[in-house]
Amino acid sequence: MTQPTIITAQSTGYAADSDASSTTRTYSNVAIPANANTVVIWVTGDTTEDFESFTNITYGDSAAVRTHLVDVSSAAPRMMMASVFDVSSAGALTDDVTATFATAASVNTRLGIVCTTGFLESFFSTQDRSSQEGQSITFSPNYENNLFVLCNAADDFSGGWTYTTGTQIFQSTAGGTAVGVAAASQATNLSDGSKKIAYTAPTEEVTDFGVLFSTQRNPFATSFGPVIRPIISHDVIS
């Protein structure tokens, strides 16, 4: 079996229609190609989580089924929320994304989207108040059939942002402060089967959302059911 791929033409950044004070941000005409099975959509804003936060991300067409919504950022780093959508039965889509704020605010924002032929295997999140060098390593026993994607949000990309390990998918900034989003992928395995993506940053507040995509819809399924089963305790009567 082969690894999934990134659909680069539709994996990109979007500006909000308006960043004027409001409880919502609309990103118009966000495109999802017909051959995508899963997409990750994330949003960031030019303020800290303790001042403002995202509460929701929705895609206008119901054929895109949201499976996960993750508030990635903690109090200090730039606000970030990520969502995962199953679009395997959707076909080609073009519709608006709406991000919701906890309170009305005038904040520069940016949306990122990664479209892939793969299916969600797992994800994680991290954040750093003062990042200069970031590195994420992930492992799964399904490493021969998965692809690692790192979705980033940062305070200011204008000072230089470089992926030193992995392949950049895109980089997109918003407003004069250059708050923005970026993403990279990694298909190559290290000697132990793990995958690594690393970057250098200009000492900025950074939040990361890492995802493993698998070629299989359920990589841990077998003919007799899931490999990983819930632990069920029983009272043993001797």
Side-chain angles (χ1 to χ4, degrees):
M1 190 170 289
T2 59
Q3 293 168 307
T5 58
I6 300 298
I7 307 168
T8 55
Q10 286 80 25
S11 297
T12 186
Y14 288 83
D17 294 355
S18 172
D19 277 319
S21 183
S22 173
T23 56
T24 60
R25 293 293 187 274
T26 300
Y27 308 87
S28 294
N29 301 319
V30 176
I32 297 174
N35 58 331
N37 286 317
T38 308
V39 300
V40 176
I41 297 175
W42 70 104
V43 285
T44 189
D46 190 22
T47 189
T48 57
E49 178 90 358
D50 53 4
F51 174 77
E52 182 61 272
S53 61
F54 292 107
T55 60
N56 203 12
I57 299 172
T58 59
Y59 190 80
D61 195 313
S62 61
V65 180
R66 193 181 71 194
T67 60
H68 296 84
L69 182 67
V70 184
D71 185 6
V72 178
S73 50
S74 57
R78 285 299 182 258
M79 56 193 291
M80 178 184 181
M81 177 168 276
S83 55
V84 181
F85 289 84
D86 184 335
V87 294
S88 57
S89 301
L93 300 173
T94 301
D95 215 319
D96 299 346
V97 172
T98 301
T100 306
F101 281 176
T103 59
S106 176
V107 175
N108 285 331
T109 65
R110 205 70 171 179
L111 176 147
I113 180 172
V114 168
C115 304
T116 174
T117 61
F119 298 93
L120 178 66
E121 181 175 316
S122 64
F123 63 77
F124 66 88
S125 68
T126 61
Q127 48 287 173
D128 194 328
R129 180 81 184 269
S130 182
S131 178
Q132 289 182 305
E133 294 184 357
Q135 176 175 283
S136 293
I137 300 175
T138 183
F139 173 79
S140 163
N142 191 46
Y143 60 87
E144 292 181 345
N145 303 308
N146 64 29
L147 176 75
F148 179 29
V149 172
L150 190 64
C151 307
N152 303 109
D155 180 23
D156 187 354
F157 280 84
S158 64
W161 177 282
T162 303
Y163 290 103
T164 54
T165 304
T167 301
Q168 179 173 291
I169 302 170
F170 73 89
Q171 197 175 122
S172 179
T173 61
T177 56
V179 64
V181 291
S185 65
Q186 181 61 271
T188 303
N189 298 313
L190 300 177
S191 59
D192 62 356
S194 61
K195 293 179 173 68
K196 179 173 76 171
I197 295 176
Y199 58 82
T200 58
T203 316
E204 297 295 343
E205 297 173 0
V206 177
T207 44
D208 303 330
F209 186 66
V211 190
L212 278 177
F213 294 105
S214 172
T215 306
Q216 312 103 306
R217 182 179 290 276
N218 185 350
F220 303 110
T222 68
S223 59
F224 52 84
V227 173
I228 301 173
R229 299 176 183 272
I231 298 173
I232 302 174
S233 61
H234 298 277
D235 292 330
V236 178
I237 301 174
S238 57

